[in-house]
Amino acid sequence: MVDYSKWKNIEISDDEDETHPNIDTPSLFRWRHQARVERMEEWNKEWHEFEATKNSHETKLKDVKDKVSEAEKKGDMELESLKKEMETLEIESVNIKKKEEELRKKEKKTPWNVDTISKEGFTKTVVNKKPARPKEENLTEEEREKRMRTFIKDNEKDLKHFGMLRRYDDSKEFLKKHPHLVCEDTANYLVIWCINLEMEEKHDLMSHVAHQTICMQYILELAKQLEYDPRACLDSFFTKIQVAEPEYRASFDDELHQFKERIRKRAAEKLEDALKEAEEEERKARLGPGGMDPVEVFEALPEELKKCFESQNIQLLQDTIAKMPEEQARYHMKRCVDSGLWVPEANKDKTEPTTDTESSTSSVKTSEPSEKSDA
């Protein structure tokens, strides 16, 4: 059977005992508590003093035993006195043992209280450490571009899926399932996608993807401020944005508005650059053998020469050049040759000039009209 007798002798807690109405209960509780604390302090002091005496005695007895062993080996004259000292210490050991038994009996009879009824089995302290922020990689611009191309190639489907999400809860759940997407490369991809959508005049879709872009940028900025891993900031951001205070929400909306304005401006600049590039390629394609643009050369010709090329009249061209000063004629005809408007020593069998309708200029391909017109 289980022995429950040890539970009968428990010192009642200071605030559980009933007292007489005429007794100042708080004062009584304070007195009881102080008395119990003093008894425990006296007991602890007595036990510590005994432990110190016992340890000192055991050390002294061990030293005497070692000396007796050495004296027996050497035949020392002090052997007898050492043996007597050892006997005295052994007698003291018996007394110390009896004292220890008495103290343990006293401890066992002492009523349990809130401080002695249980003891701590083990202690464990856990300190949460914030996830370390990824170290900055010292990559060259070329290496960064290569890394981003690889990232987009491996994750483009998931990136577009995230860009098309609408609800905050869906975005949060998706990023938790794909934590590798919480990075700068994702934000950069979404920015590029927004620019392309604006260039394609898909304005509504651009506005939606822009919202997801700002969400990602806010997560990265929050991680930077807290020096956390961005993946550890998902809950913080989405909780904050969903129950956002008016100031925080207004700041988010203002950042989104400014971002869309920057996207529209950048898309317009890229379209203008693309148009200029196309015009430049078209100009390069029509350059003559001397590297000159026939359109520019034609526009710079005197009016009488322009009429010759527009009418494609070779005889009129020959007569006009003959009337012009030699230096001026050579200058303009050399430019015509370099731009391809005039092709000397070509198509001698053909007397009719050809017209390039695409460039709105005339190209005369025939033999030299006269010595003076030889550029």
Side-chain angles (χ1 to χ4, degrees), residues 346-362:
N347 299 329
K348 288 184 178 182
D349 297 334
K350 297 181 181 180
T351 59
E352 293 295 331
T354 59
T355 302
D356 185 356
T357 58
E358 294 182 357
S359 61
S360 300
T361 63
S362 299

Side-chain angles (χ1 to χ4, degrees), residues 200-213:
E200 296 169 5
E201 298 185 354
K202 298 178 180 179
H203 308 299
D204 292 339
L205 185 55
M206 183 279 289
S207 297
H208 178 72
V209 177
H211 178 271
Q212 294 298 88
T213 307

Side-chain angles (χ1 to χ4, degrees), residues 88-344:
T88 303
L89 291 173
E90 287 177 347
I91 292 172
E92 289 181 7
S93 296
V94 174
N95 294 333
I96 289 174
K97 189 173 182 181
K98 290 180 180 179
K99 178 69 174 176
E100 183 177 9
E101 290 176 355
E102 290 175 1
L103 290 174
R104 294 198 180 278
K105 286 180 181 179
K106 184 179 178 180
E107 181 183 20
K108 192 173 183 180
K109 292 179 180 180
T110 302
W112 284 354
N113 57 54
V114 68
D115 296 321
T116 59
I117 198 168
S118 62
K119 293 182 180 180
E120 190 176 77
F122 66 91
T123 302
K124 183 179 181 181
T125 303
V126 178
V127 179
N128 289 333
K129 294 183 178 180
K130 61 183 182 181
R133 182 175 175 80
K135 295 182 179 179
E136 295 290 337
E137 298 182 12
N138 296 323
L139 301 178
T140 63
E141 194 65 29
E142 183 179 350
E143 289 173 336
R144 290 180 185 277
E145 290 180 3
K146 182 178 179 182
R147 184 188 66 179
M148 185 170 178
R149 285 196 297 270
T150 303
F151 176 80
I152 293 174
K153 181 180 178 182
D154 296 339
N155 303 284
E156 188 167 14
K157 182 179 178 181
D158 291 334
L159 291 169
K160 289 193 173 182
H161 181 81
F162 171 73
M164 299 299 291
L165 294 175
R166 293 186 177 274
R167 297 176 63 247
Y168 287 121
D169 289 337
D170 294 339
S171 298
K172 176 182 175 181
E173 183 180 356
F174 183 78
L175 289 177
K176 282 195 169 185
K177 289 181 179 179
H178 304 82
H180 60 283
L181 298 182
V182 188
C183 63
E184 290 284 351
D185 289 336
T186 296
N188 294 336
Y189 174 82
L190 294 175
V191 170
I192 296 171
W193 191 15
C194 286
I195 294 174
N196 293 337
L197 290 173
E198 182 64 21
M199 291 175 66
E200 296 169 5
E201 298 185 354
K202 298 178 180 179
H203 308 299
D204 292 339
L205 185 55
M206 183 279 289
S207 297
H208 178 72
V209 177
H211 178 271
Q212 294 298 88
T213 307
I214 295 300
C215 287
M216 180 58 64
Q217 290 181 351
Y218 260 61
I219 294 170
L220 297 175
E221 184 62 26
L222 179 62
K224 186 177 180 180
Q225 292 176 358
L226 301 176
E227 295 186 352
Y228 272 33
D229 187 312
R231 293 168 292 186
C233 298
L234 292 176
D235 290 326
S236 299
F237 167 73
F238 284 108
T239 300
K240 193 171 184 178
I241 195 63
Q242 286 178 289
V243 293
E245 296 179 356
E247 295 82 2
Y248 186 82
R249 187 71 197 189
S251 174
F252 181 88
D253 293 339
D254 182 61
E255 180 63 30
L256 177 59
H257 174 72
Q258 293 184 23
F259 175 74
K260 288 191 286 189
E261 288 298 320
R262 292 195 297 270
I263 289 296
R264 294 186 184 102
K265 182 179 178 181
R266 180 57 182 151
E269 291 174 352
K270 291 198 71 172
L271 285 173
E272 185 178 352
D273 292 341
L275 182 60
K276 289 181 179 179
E277 185 177 349
E279 291 176 351
E280 181 63 20
E281 289 180 358
E282 183 181 351
R283 191 186 71 83
K284 288 181 180 179
R286 64 175 181 250
L287 292 180
M292 298 194 72
D293 185 354
V295 175
E296 295 176 0
V297 171
F298 180 80
E299 293 296 331
L301 290 174
E303 287 298 325
E304 55 270 22
L305 285 179
K306 283 185 181 180
K307 291 178 181 179
C308 297
F309 282 98
E310 288 174 349
S311 64
Q312 301 183 27
N313 190 327
I314 297 176
Q315 186 60 47
L316 179 60
L317 176 63
Q318 293 173 345
D319 295 341
T320 303
I321 290 175
K323 294 176 183 178
M324 294 176 66
E326 183 177 354
E327 190 67 28
Q328 186 180 6
R330 286 182 177 275
Y331 170 76
H332 285 296
M333 291 309 298
K334 183 178 185 309
R335 286 168 58 85
C336 289
V337 171
D338 290 342
S339 65
L341 284 175
W342 178 267
V343 183

Side-chain angles (χ1 to χ4, degrees), residues 36-62:
R36 179 170 61 81
V37 170
E38 289 176 355
R39 287 198 305 271
M40 289 184 63
E41 289 179 352
E42 290 176 2
W43 164 252
N44 290 332
K45 181 179 179 182
E46 182 180 4
W47 182 257
H48 289 315
E49 289 177 353
F50 169 76
E51 287 288 333
T53 302
K54 179 182 176 182
N55 293 335
S56 175
H57 175 76
E58 289 177 350
T59 303
K60 189 175 181 181
L61 179 61
K62 183 176 180 301

Side-chain angles (χ1 to χ4, degrees), residues 15-26:
D15 58 353
E16 291 180 359
D17 198 8
E18 295 181 359
T19 59
H20 193 275
N22 296 333
I23 295 177
D24 183 13
T25 304

